[in-house]
């Protein structure tokens, strides 16, 4: 069974050199609003434990910590971890076989991971297994024209062409999750938005029709059945 949608991805992650630093203003404009929306939807308070699955160089890992979460970043590529702003928070691991016990974290999160995976539902089920309260996802929106064009030409991101708000919700339901909310978001691109664009892009970086990304907040089905509602997930969890 192949992990990746495309066979050349593992070599790509091991060789790639340019990634935006998590502390860059464009990285903040990209990550912080998404984390704030997901935290609001799931009732996540500072002090929550978060597992960032497929963390890459740790843009989201870093900004979850700035929100006040206690974060573990899980990434398969040593090259990515070595280029992270927070390597001390990162460890090697596979999204299909998370090296943690059931209910180990308040929230499991994946940002721009699923479109690289051959079996994304399997990864979602693993995330649900490790989550006490919530599962948070950010994925590319194929119906956003620049994103669709990027997916069409990229050799490692063509999997994003399957993702819309509807398809992501359906996938989450099929994986056994109860969806709390799913919205389109923003116009800041993770590694490609120039700083000069930020004054305008920041004004658009909110829940917006036609946005470049889909944000999804969900709960493990058993947690919803227990009446977890939107209760705050904090340091006491």
């Amino acid at each position: 069974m192949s992990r990746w949608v495309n066979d050349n991805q593992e070599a790509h992650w091991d060789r790639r050199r340019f990634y935006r630093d998590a502390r860059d203003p464009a990285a903040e404009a990209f990550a912080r609003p998404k984390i704030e929306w997901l935290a609001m939807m799931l009732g996540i308070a500072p002090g929550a434990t978060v597992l960032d699955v497929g963390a890459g160089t740790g843009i989201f890992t870093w900004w979850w910590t700035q929100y006040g979460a206690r974060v573990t970043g899980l990434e398969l590529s040593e090259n990515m971890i070595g280029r992270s702003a927070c390597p001390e928070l990162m460890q090697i691991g596979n999204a299909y076989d998370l090296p943690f016990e059931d209910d180990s974290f308040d929230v499991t999160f994946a940002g721009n991971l699923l479109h690289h995976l051959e079996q994304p539902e399997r990864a979602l089920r693993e995330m649900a297994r490790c989550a006490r309260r919530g599962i948070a996802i950010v994925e590319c929106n194929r119906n956003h024209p620049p994103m669709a064009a990027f997916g069409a030409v990229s050799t490692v991101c063509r999997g994003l062409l399957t993702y819309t708000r509807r398809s992501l919700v359906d996938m989450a339901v099929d994986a056994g999750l109860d969806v709390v909310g799913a919205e389109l978001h923003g116009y800041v691109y993770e590694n490609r938005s120039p700083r000069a664009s930020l004054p305008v892009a920041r004004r658009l970086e909110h829940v917006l029709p036609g946005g470049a990304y889909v944000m999804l907040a969900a709960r493990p089905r058993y947690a919803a059945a227990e009446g977890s509602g939107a209760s705050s997930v904090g340091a006491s969890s």
Side-chain angles (χ1 to χ4, degrees), residues 79-101:
N79 179 46
M80 298 290 98
I81 294 174
R83 297 178 184 282
S84 174
C86 46
E88 72 282 359
L89 301 178
M90 310 276 280
Q91 66 183 72
I92 293 175
N94 188 329
Y96 291 155
D97 186 19
L98 299 179
F100 305 103
E101 296 181 357

Side-chain angles (χ1 to χ4, degrees), residues 20 25-31 33-34 112 144 147 185-194 197-206 211-213:
R20 178 163 271 151
E28 178 180 4
F30 165 76
K34 295 175 178 61
N112 292 338
H144 178 73
M147 192 66 75
H185 187 270
Y187 287 87
V188 176
Y189 307 105
E190 182 176 7
N191 283 301
R192 297 181 179 272
S193 287
S197 72
L198 293 183
V200 173
R202 276 197 177 105
R203 295 176 181 270
L204 300 173
E205 196 63 6
H206 52 81
Y213 297 91

